[in-house]
Amino acid sequence: GQSLEQPSEVTAVEGAIVQINCTYQTSGFYGLSWYQQHDGGAPTFLSYNALDGLEETGRFSSFLSRSDSYGYLLLQELQMKDSASYFCAVRDSAGKSTFGDGTTLTVKP
Amino acid sequence: DAEITQSPRHKITETGRQVTLACHQTWNHNNMFWYRQDLGHGLRLIHYSYGVQDTNKGEVSDGYSVSRSNTEDLPLTLESAASSQTSVYFCASSEGTGNTEAFFGQGTRLTVV
């Protein structure tokens, strides 16, 4: 089976940098995805890592270490609109994803 | 523009009734998924399909069924609705294997009374 762990809540101030960690135990690991979900909305894709290292997309970066079964999402220059829930998800080779319980990020002025 | 749509957006039903939630995508994606999300939790996989006539059980499939008769649609049926199935249901689709993102519908909020 699959299991993922991520912090339930993180709080940071506008303009700061925040890191959301994700550890996983899984069989058939293919890659790690990150999704953002605002209250009442649908999850939207942020990033995907299949190989070790850092992937950067604008203010967001995602890191993966396959040997440590660990990844993180890094959000820079935080804005109020970044307040949302963030989910890591393990993807298997067939494209099926298992999601963590999510981290609620609160950005304060 | 391609999209994925769910209907209805909100549904109230009584215990024991059969309910079907619709999911329609115009991405021409092979993979389609149904998840449920309960307050304060992540998305749990109910059923999924990798193509026409293919369906598979996810981690919380009891009491649910799906069918895939064409590429565009994956309806989710609750055979006999129970209060424990009150939840928000999300449908998603993706192109296939590899580095492909999943696109989610806007969700259906189902209340079983």
Side-chain angles (χ1 to χ4, degrees):
Chain A
Q2 325 273 40
S3 70
L4 297 93
E5 288 193 17
Q6 51 181 128
S8 58
E9 295 180 347
V10 173
T11 301
V13 297
E14 216 173 355
I17 299 172
V18 71
Q19 178 174 312
I20 299 173
N21 298 320
C22 175
T23 58
Y24 58 87
Q25 292 183 331
T26 182
S27 58
F29 178 86
Y30 197 79
L32 187 71
S33 304
W34 288 91
Y35 287 81
Q36 178 191 60
Q37 185 181 33
H38 286 99
D39 268 352
T44 56
F45 174 82
L46 290 177
S47 68
Y48 175 77
N49 294 71
L51 303 175
D52 286 358
L54 192 68
E55 294 280 343
E56 298 181 68
T57 308
R59 294 187 297 115
F60 294 179
S61 303
S62 58
F63 172 83
L64 176 65
S65 170
R66 295 172 69 108
S67 59
D68 295 323
S69 297
Y70 164 76
Y72 66 72
L73 180 69
L74 190 73
L75 298 84
Q76 301 180 341
E77 301 172 19
L78 281 174
Q79 302 175 9
M80 298 297 292
K81 68 178 182 179
D82 296 331
S83 290
S85 292
Y86 292 85
F87 296 89
C88 58
V90 167
R91 184 183 297 173
D92 64 19
S93 59
K96 175 167 61 69
S97 291
T98 300
F99 285 76
D101 281 345
T103 299
T104 300
L105 170 64
T106 302
V107 180
K108 296 187 173 181
Chain B
D1 284 348
E3 60 181 1
I4 178 167
T5 55
Q6 294 183 231
S7 62
R9 293 293 310 277
H10 302 272
K11 174 81 176 176
I12 300 175
T13 191
E14 295 178 341
T15 300
R17 289 193 179 269
Q18 184 181 79
V19 177
T20 296
L21 309 182
C23 176
H24 179 81
Q25 53 99 0
T26 58
W27 294 96
N28 199 35
H29 285 164
N30 289 322
N31 296 352
M32 295 185 74
F33 309 90
W34 273 105
Y35 293 91
R36 63 176 286 175
Q37 185 175 37
D38 300 301
L39 191 62
H41 291 281
L43 298 138
R44 290 186 291 170
L45 186 63
I46 306 171
H47 281 286
Y48 57 102
S49 169
Y50 291 137
V52 176
Q53 301 301 330
D54 175 74
T55 61
N56 305 278
K57 294 181 178 180
E59 61 181 306
V60 290
S61 62
D62 286 350
Y64 304 93
S65 63
V66 294
S67 61
R68 187 89 180 270
S69 58
N70 58 50
T71 300
E72 296 80 16
D73 300 289
L74 187 71
L76 177 71
T77 297
L78 286 71
E79 304 294 344
S80 176
S83 57
S84 60
Q85 294 177 308
T86 292
S87 188
V88 179
Y89 292 84
F90 286 100
C91 179
S93 72
S94 67
E95 188 175 287
T97 59
N99 184 13
T100 55
E101 66 177 280
F103 295 87
F104 282 80
Q106 288 303 305
T108 295
R109 184 174 297 275
L110 177 69
T111 303
V112 183
V113 298

